[in-house]
Amino acid sequence: MKTIDDLTAEGVAGKRVFVRADLNVPLDGTTITDDGRIRAVQPTIAKLAQYGAKVIVASHLGRPKGAPDPAFSLAPAAARLGELLGRDVAFATDTVGESAKSVVDGLSDGQVAVLENLRFNPGETSKDDAERGAFADQLAALADLYVGDGFGAVHRKHASVFDLPARLPHAAGDLIAAEVSVLKRLTEDVKRPYVVVLGGAKVSDKLAVIDQLLSKADRLLIGGGMAYTFLKAKGYEVGISLLQEDQVPAVTEYLERAEKNGVELVLPVDVLAAAEFPDLKTKAPAEYVVVDADKIPSDKEGLDIGPRTRELFASKIADAETVFWNGPVGVAEHPDYAGGTTAVARALLDSPAFTVVGGGDSAAAVRALGFDENAFGHISTGGGASLEYLEGKTLPGLAALED
């Protein structure tokens, strides 16, 4: 896989370089609530501009239905990118239309432009190869070279991720190169003990990666909403907690395999339980009780791991050499239920292990809770992409960058 350093060594001055970034940041109206993904790709964009390229940045944001929607405009992300770069960034109000062509034609060497949301065009996400290819042809007409640096999208077979690299000389950006390097440390010659912490809402989202980890990890610590399906599989009462009843048979089989393979599968021993889900907008104080994980009242739901579980998880992380964490272990958006996620983050920081925070909600939680990102071994920009890599899947966006 060619890198951006190979491109700059060959010379990019005066050339139009299309950078497929991941600017899919959370917005509250037009206010960015977490700019981590923009900051992650900024060094690649700055490097290309420094070498005199005309940099064309493109990304998706959210899930518009193949047509323009102001709620999903990349204008706020473009403005933030300009602030981080310390320079004006041009913004095209379409993807391949007159605005895009005019903005790109107006770029001087070293200047940067951002195109509007790629998903405003149905060709970006189309399952029809011809429709997707036609959109990729239009994008290719805007550029001379392609740099893939949107790691959060490499597991998608989309026009700008999969089809466009085939139409232009291409290379991986610094962010993708770093992400792949880290993931190899989690899959090849892993330093042990290897501990994986999995949280998040649905166990169905993590079944495939659990399947793989049962033959690779030494310990699996399970928290978040997905833990209640595991507790149910052990025959425990989970009250009105989030439960995927249809996944109980699969989870039961995983519990049996973990024991057979000598993998320590650690579940919560106590939880914070409440009669209703907290208000995440007002974040009003919540009323809850701490109960044993096998005695959740029938009229309550578990919303965070309890104090004994926090100590248990920390003890299981303490002697690790490698730790991968994906997904909050409670409703971390509410201060009363952020304690478990905070405890996991602190345990990672206290551990001498190589620690990886696997993108998505867990990465956002780390930043929202005020932790120093640089204190972790790596914070990924792609939760879904990281999980699919660990599952052993071929990621279309990475395959497209191979020569």
Side-chain angles (χ1 to χ4, degrees), residues 64-377:
K65 302 183 184 299
D69 184 338
F72 297 104
S73 175
L74 277 172
R80 179 60 180 146
L81 176 62
E83 291 172 356
L84 293 170
L85 290 171
R87 65 175 71 196
D88 290 335
V89 168
F91 182 66
T93 56
D94 56 29
T95 54
V96 291
E98 291 305 314
S99 179
K101 293 172 184 174
S102 175
V103 166
V104 170
D105 287 345
L107 289 176
S108 299
D109 294 1
Q111 289 190 321
V112 179
V114 174
L115 305 181
E116 185 54 284
N117 193 336
L118 290 165
R119 290 185 183 175
F120 285 0
N121 190 303
E124 169 67 2
T125 59
S126 176
K127 296 187 184 304
D128 181 80
D129 291 348
E131 183 179 16
R132 221 175 46 246
F135 183 49
D137 287 339
Q138 291 179 291
L139 292 172
L142 296 172
D144 305 305
L145 303 169
Y146 176 93
V147 170
D149 216 27
F151 181 73
V154 294
H155 57 315
R156 306 296 188 191
K157 192 176 181 181
H158 291 169
S160 65
V161 175
F162 178 75
D163 302 273
L164 184 55
R167 289 159 167 77
L168 294 170
H170 52 264
D174 287 344
L175 175 59
I176 278 187
E179 295 272 13
V180 171
S181 175
V182 166
L183 287 169
K184 285 182 176 179
R185 293 181 65 174
L186 299 178
T187 53
E188 302 172 12
D189 193 26
V190 183
K191 291 186 178 181
R192 299 182 180 278
Y194 178 21
V195 177
V196 177
V197 185
L198 294 178
K202 295 182 179 179
V203 70
S204 57
D205 294 341
K206 307 280 170 57
L207 284 178
V209 74
I210 293 171
D211 183 70
Q212 289 294 313
L213 291 170
L214 286 174
S215 62
K216 293 182 172 67
D218 297 298
R219 295 179 197 133
L220 285 177
L221 315 184
I222 307 293
M226 62 184 288
Y228 302 101
T229 302
F230 278 86
L231 294 171
K232 184 71 172 180
K234 290 180 71 70
Y236 298 160
E237 169 64 56
V238 297
I240 57 172
S241 302
L242 185 62
L243 173 66
Q244 290 185 282
E245 191 84 46
D246 61 325
Q247 301 298 335
V248 169
V251 167
T252 300
E253 192 266 332
Y254 285 169
L255 288 167
E256 294 170 353
R257 273 179 54 199
E259 185 174 3
K260 180 181 177 181
N261 292 353
V263 175
E264 191 177 1
L265 201 155
V266 184
L267 299 176
V269 294
D270 62 342
V271 302
L272 273 56
E276 58 184 20
F277 199 82
D279 188 325
L280 299 182
K281 285 194 173 182
T282 65
K283 298 185 179 177
E287 294 185 7
Y288 61 84
V289 293
V290 179
V291 297
D292 291 345
D294 60 349
K295 295 183 178 65
I296 299 174
S298 61
D299 63 343
K300 289 182 170 55
E301 61 179 321
L303 295 169
D304 194 11
I305 58 173
R308 287 192 293 122
T309 304
R310 297 170 195 179
E311 292 180 4
L312 174 64
F313 279 17
S315 71
K316 299 298 182 181
I317 292 169
D319 67 341
E321 289 290 334
T322 304
V323 183
F324 174 73
W325 172 30
N326 180 277
V329 295
V331 185
E333 305 96 320
H334 192 283
D336 290 339
Y337 300 116
T341 300
T342 299
V344 170
R346 284 182 177 148
L348 263 66
L349 293 179
D350 290 341
S351 169
F354 173 61
T355 56
V356 179
V357 180
D361 292 338
S362 44
V366 162
R367 288 188 282 266
L369 293 170
F371 288 97
D372 178 5
E373 293 179 70
N374 296 321
F376 297 89

